[in-house]
Amino acid sequence: GQGAQTLPGQAALKFRQALREGTETVSFGPLDSARDFVSLRDVTAAALFAARLQQGPPVLNVGSGQPTLSRTLVRALARLAGYRGEITEQSPPSARSGAVLWQQADLRAMTALGWAPTFTLDGALEDLWHSLPPTFPAPKETAHGTLHL
């Protein structure tokens, strides 16, 4: 799974906590940035693919090749989790995320070498949701505040 330092990991933990506690509102910072979210399975496959190359460029980008609004990702995860409460964008923005509003990996070098992502964002979110532990440890302090896992 992904840790609470990533938006998908943070969202999954927040929705799990909200469902457990019956919370009607889950708050995030601004969700208007677009990111190239990619399945961990695709990252692993790309790393193995690159390691087997006899020669190639010194830097290879890995991603899905598709920008996704953070808001779209959070809403998709809420649906997957069965969360029907309100999702607000009231929390302060992350300094790191606020500086870059759009990211998309340029996969031309990887596709020219014969690699392409194969897993969908929906599949990656399902993997993330199902990787969450069934029980929760004590609250954890993060850069985004206290998470009750």
Side-chain angles (χ1 to χ4, degrees):
Q2 296 190 27
Q5 72 277 12
T6 68
L7 177 62
Q10 180 187 59
L13 293 172
K14 284 185 173 193
F15 290 134
R16 177 64 63 93
Q17 178 183 341
L19 289 167
R20 181 185 63 166
E21 297 176 359
T23 305
E24 295 182 15
T25 302
V26 174
S27 187
F28 294 89
L31 296 172
D32 52 353
S33 62
R35 297 286 182 262
D36 188 336
F37 296 104
V38 61
S39 169
L40 179 58
R41 292 184 291 174
D42 275 330
V43 174
T44 302
L48 291 171
F49 177 86
R52 291 183 184 116
L53 292 174
Q54 296 297 322
Q55 61 184 26
V59 176
L60 294 168
N61 292 323
V62 176
S64 69
Q66 301 296 317
T68 299
L69 279 177
S70 296
R71 187 175 298 112
T72 301
L73 177 129
V74 166
R75 288 180 180 160
L77 193 50
R79 277 191 304 280
L80 176 67
Y83 179 76
R84 294 180 191 6
E86 182 180 9
I87 298 170
T88 65
E89 298 180 33
Q90 302 296 321
S91 297
S94 160
R96 190 178 80 176
S97 294
V100 179
L101 292 179
W102 184 82
Q103 289 179 335
Q104 178 183 359
D106 179 352
L107 301 180
R108 288 178 288 188
M110 285 294 276
T111 55
L113 292 169
W115 181 87
T118 58
F119 296 97
T120 66
L121 179 58
D122 287 340
L125 292 178
E126 285 183 34
D127 290 344
L128 171 61
W129 183 252
H130 296 297
S131 73
L132 293 177
T135 58
F136 297 88
K140 179 180 179 183
E141 189 66 31
T142 72
H144 303 291
T146 302
L147 280 178
H148 299 273
L149 307 176

